[in-house]
Structures are given as C-alpha cells and as structure tokens.
C-alpha cells in the first residue's frame, strides 16, 4: 500500500470511529456500515433506544415519576410523595429523574438530592410557603438540569459546579450556598439559561463563607433581583437579561456585570455598602437620537464604590466638555453672576451665560447642559445655507422640533428652569437647517439663587468631529466698572468693556472687600 492510501485509510478509520460506523476492507476500498444502536443496553437491561431521547438524539435511562411512582399531574391531587420518591430512586440508581408534562401539586417541601440529570417538562405547583429544593454537591462533577416551570412557591438550587442548568419559568428562584455545609459551600463556574423569573435571589449564610461566583446567566425576564448573604458574590455575568420596571438590591458582591439590559420604565437600583465595580450596561434607547439628548438619567443609589449604570453606546461615542463655569473659572460676565468663594450667585434674570458661534450641522451630535441646580433657560436657533435665521419651525433636525418654538425670535427651548436633567439637545442633518446656534441664559425666577457649576458637553459618535466655536465674550471675565461684589483672589483680572479708557482691573488681595488702590489696581 502506498503512503497516500495509508494516510487516507487512517483518516477514514478515525471518521468511522467518531461518527459510529463499522468498517471492513474490500480490496483497496473501505466499506462503511452504520452501527445499530439497539445493540447497546441500558442499566435496566433494555436497549437505550427504548429510553427517553435527550439533547442531540442521544438516549439516557430515566425514572418517570408518573409511570413508576404514580404522580398524577392534574393540579389537584398531591404529588409530593411521588416526586420525592422518584428523586430518591434516580439518585440510588444514578439515572435521570424525568417528570413529564402535567401540573403537579405538592403540599409539602420536596428535596431532590444527588441527581445528576433532571428533566422536568411539567409544571410544579408548590403550596404557599413551600420549597422545591434541588441539591447536588459543590465538590462533585457537573450536572445537567432542565426545569420547565415552578409556578408557585420557591425553587432553590444548591451545590452546583461547572454545570448547565435551564429554568424556563419560576415564581421565585434562589441560588443558595451555606459555608458550613460542604455540599452547599459554593455555586460556581456554571451556565444558567433562564426564562421568566419573577424573583431571583443569590444568597448565602453560615459561619464560614458561602460564595456564588463566576457564573454566566443567559436571557431571563426578571422583576426583582436580590444579591445578599454572608459573603461577597463576585464576577457573575448576565447576558441579555430583560430588566424593565424592576428592582435590584445588590448588597454583597463585586464585578458583577449586566450586559445588554433594556432598563425601560421605572426601575429601582441599589448598590449596597462595600460593593464595588458592578456595572449595568443599558442597550435600549427610546428613539433613534435619544442617546444624543442626555446621559441615561437613570437614578440609582450607590453606597459602594465605582458601581455604575452606563449605556452600551458609551463604547461608540465620545463626550467632551466644551465649556464650564464654577467659582474658580473666569469665563462669565460679572453683571450676570456674582462670584463667591465656593459657589456662584445669579445676579440678573435672563442673563446670557454661554453662547456658541454658528455650528455647521454635518453629522449627528448632541449638546448637553449639566448643573447641580435647575435654574437656566436653553435656546436653540436654526439657520439656512446662507446663514440666515429661520423664523418658521423646522422638523427632523432636533428632538425639540414640535415643542416650544418662538416664531418671533426663532428660538426652540425647553422652558423655564432646567439644568439637572433632560437638558440635552440632539441634532442631526436636515435639508433646510445647515447651521445652528446654542445659548444658555439664567432663568426668569433665578435671581439670588446659588449653584456650584454649569457644564456644557458635546456628545457624538467616535467617527465624527464637529468643531464648536464659542463666542469670545465668554472666554474671560468682563465688566463695565471695577467689581464691587463677590469673593476674589489675588491675581484675578477683570477686563473693562465700559467707555472709560481702562484696559483691566487687577486684584491685589484675597477676600470680599473692594477698595481701589488696596484691593484693585487699574491697568
């Protein structure tokens, strides 16, 4: 036999071994025959083909709780003893526990322990306050459990290691560890496929650490999530979990991640004391340009460190602070704001704090005004290709279209007293609107009000770069006369914009007094 034929035959023998064929040689040809699976016998002496089909057409031996132990599954007759005994039999004989279609009522707690393979195709209805407790061993090999529905009561899973578990429906699902019980000491390195779970809990207790770490969760529609116990539960990762109108209380754990989460509706999110680096990535936006309007504006309570709720789109967008006002900055008119040592006071209503030059509208971007107080007015103006102000309302270039528009001034605005939220303006190309101008004013009822900061932020996709030009009058302190109010530091400079032939005033002292020659000097 030449070398080429030898290599070919080796390959064919390997192929036959893997895919279940017998091989015999006929001269130079190899003849393949499919092996008859019925010659393999199961544990009960029956051929494996007589037992339940499992996963990809393979066969496993099972105990059928309905056929062997008389479970009824009509939703009325109490099946807890039948299911309990079927679980014991499955463990003793090292076979799969199978509960077929049906509605199984259980009046008492049911503990299923040490069963490696479980298939529950029916719905388990536990009596009020009762628990279906399924336990393996944290230090033993992996299990494969498929649970269709626990429609009432609680489903508690323990002792899982490197396993695959599927729970399609459960009123309440708890992953439980107990540091003092060796077989329940931890739940780790598992893959969970979840469906509709109303309440989901990760919990541990004991004098020693019980830990639930390094698990992957796929899917799931959850209303309530609670992570707590006697030890931190770390690096559990949720993929595509549907969280909408939900409550999260994460009190024990670090580096738990929630990817591609919808977060629509009213949600309550709390990160407890001692938690850190837990992140929820929101993937849903209300409309095509909502992300350019403002930050997520999802409120959450963070009692820990570096816990965050962010948008998945943060990866693809950049945010740049293009303007900032605080008590240490020197870029506002002194007739509008009074500078205090640690904050700013509004001196007049509708005083202009910030204004851009014309910005060419070539690519989608957003401008966000952010402050610690809602004391401001925001105006947006649209211009045509000839840089002429458009005094008729335009649509489809900003989310403010169709909102508050003033035809006499051409201004689109949010209304009175904004700043802490909902202060972003998304902008996108339009056939008519080719340029825009953006302005921030003090509110009409804001005089004597105090605030700490006002930031103006540009947000846009990484692939674009829109230049924002700021009017020169908002790049340094200006006034018509020597300052007579506020707190100043030695070295501060105020430029004169009055009629007198004075270039500027330079501050000589630090404090609130204002005496020419002592506190200020003319230049």
């Amino acid at each position: 036999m030449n070398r080429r034929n030898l290599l070919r035959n080796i390959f064919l023998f390997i192929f036959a071994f893997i895919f279940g064929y017998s091989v015999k040689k006929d001269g130079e040809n190899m003849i393949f025959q499919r092996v008859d699976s019925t010659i393999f016998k199961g544990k009960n002496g029956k051929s494996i083909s007589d037992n339940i089909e499992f996963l990809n057409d393979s066969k496993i031996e099972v105990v059928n709780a309905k056929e062997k132990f008389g479970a009824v599954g009509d939703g009325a007759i109490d099946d807890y003893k039948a299911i309990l005994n079927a679980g014991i039999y499955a463990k003793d004989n090292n076979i799969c526990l199978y509960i077929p279609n049906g509605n199984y009522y259980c009046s008492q707690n049911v503990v299923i322990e040490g069963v490696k393979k479980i298939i529950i195709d029916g719905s388990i209805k536990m009596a009020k306050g009762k628990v279906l407790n399924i336990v393996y061993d944290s230090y033993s090999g992996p299990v494969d459990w498929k649970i269709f529905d626990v429609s009432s009561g609680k489903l508690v899973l323990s002792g899982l290691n490197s396993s695959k578990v599927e729970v399609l429906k459960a009123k309440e699902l708890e992953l439980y560890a107990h540091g003092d019980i060796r077989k329940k000491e931890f739940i780790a390195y598992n893959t969970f496929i979840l469906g509709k779970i109303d309440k989901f809990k990760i919990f541990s207790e004991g004098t020693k650490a019980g830990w639930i770490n390094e698990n992957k969760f796929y899917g799931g529609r959850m209303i309530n999530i609670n992570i707590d116990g006697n030890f931190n539960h770390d690096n559990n990762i949720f993929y595509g979990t549907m969280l909408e109108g939900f409550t999260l209380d994460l009190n024990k754990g670090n580096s738990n991640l929630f990817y591609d989460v919808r977060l629509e509706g009213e949600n309550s999110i709390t990160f407890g004391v001692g938690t850190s680096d837990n992140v929820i990535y929101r993937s849903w936006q209300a409309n095509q340009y909502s992300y350019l309007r403002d930050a997520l504006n999802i409120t959450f309570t963070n009692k820990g460190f570096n816990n965050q709720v962010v948008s998945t789109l943060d990866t693809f967008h950049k945010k740049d602070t293009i303007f900032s006002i605080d008590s240490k900055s020197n870029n506002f008119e002194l007739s509008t704001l009074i500078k205090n040592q640690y904050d700013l006071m509004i001196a007049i209503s509708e005083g202009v704090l910030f204004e851009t030059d014309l910005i060419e509208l070539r690519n989608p971007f957003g401008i966000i005004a952010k402050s610690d107080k809602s004391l401001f007015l925001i105006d947006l103006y649209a211009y045509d290709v000839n840089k002429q102000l458009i005094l008729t309302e335009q649509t489809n270039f900003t989310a403010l279209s169709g909102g508050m528009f003033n035809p006499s001034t051409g201004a689109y605005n949010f209304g009175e007293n904004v700043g802490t939220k909902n202060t972003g303006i998304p902008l996108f190309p339009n056939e008519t609107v080719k340029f825009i101008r953006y302005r921030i004013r003090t509110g009409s009822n804001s005089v004597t009000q105090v605030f700490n900061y006002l930031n103006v932020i540009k947000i846009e996709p990484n692939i674009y770069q829109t230049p924002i030009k700021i009017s020169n009058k908002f790049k340094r302190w200006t006034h018509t006369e020597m300052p007579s109010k506020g707190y100043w530091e030695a070295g501060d400079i105020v430029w004169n914009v009055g009629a007198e032939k004075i270039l500027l005033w330079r501050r000589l002292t630090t404090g609130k007094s204002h005496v020419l020659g002592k506190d200020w000097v003319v230049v």
Side-chain angles (χ1 to χ4, degrees), residues 365-479:
F365 71 97
I367 301 179
I368 303 167
K370 207 68 177 172
S371 176
D372 60 302
K373 298 287 184 64
S374 291
L375 301 171
F376 310 101
L377 298 166
I378 298 177
D379 301 314
L380 177 69
Y381 299 89
Y383 295 79
D384 62 21
V385 67
N386 297 316
K387 301 182 180 179
Q388 297 298 309
L389 180 64
I390 303 173
L391 293 176
T392 56
E393 184 174 5
Q394 303 298 303
T395 58
N396 300 324
F397 85 103
T398 176
L400 293 182
S401 304
M404 287 175 282
F405 175 73
N406 187 332
S408 63
T409 64
Y412 303 79
N413 60 70
F414 284 94
E416 291 282 346
N417 299 333
V418 297
T420 58
K421 62 181 181 178
N422 296 327
T423 53
I425 295 178
L427 300 154
F428 30 93
N430 173 276
E431 291 182 0
T432 304
V433 180
K434 298 300 180 182
F435 298 88
I436 62 100
R437 182 163 57 91
Y438 179 87
R439 172 189 286 176
I440 300 177
R441 297 176 289 143
T442 56
S444 58
N445 299 312
S446 61
V447 177
T448 72
Q449 295 292 315
V450 173
F451 68 98
N452 291 309
Y453 71 90
L454 172 65
N455 294 331
V456 182
I457 302 164
K458 180 187 70 172
I459 178 172
E460 66 180 333
N462 290 327
I463 59 174
Y464 301 134
Q465 181 61 57
T466 301
I468 305 292
K469 297 179 181 180
I470 300 170
S471 178
N472 286 330
K473 64 182 179 181
F474 301 107
K475 294 182 179 179
R476 60 187 185 181
W477 282 316
T478 59
H479 205 31

Side-chain angles (χ1 to χ4, degrees), residues 316-322 359-366 458-469:
F316 307 100
H317 289 72
K318 55 182 177 289
K319 295 180 181 178
D320 299 315
T321 299
I322 58 177
I359 304 170
E360 187 175 1
L361 191 55
R362 293 178 296 176
N363 305 302
F365 71 97
K458 180 187 70 172
I459 178 172
E460 66 180 333
N462 290 327
I463 59 174
Y464 301 134
Q465 181 61 57
T466 301
I468 305 292
K469 297 179 181 180

Side-chain angles (χ1 to χ4, degrees), residues 4 62 107 116 127 132 136 138 145 153 197 201 218 304 353 372 403 414 440-441 504 513:
R4 181 177 179 182
V62 306
S107 66
K116 192 169 186 178
L132 173 58
Y136 200 64
S138 296
W145 297 344
I197 312 295
K201 187 174 185 179
Y218 295 90
L353 292 175
D372 60 302
F414 284 94
I440 300 177
R441 297 176 289 143
L504 57 85
S513 63

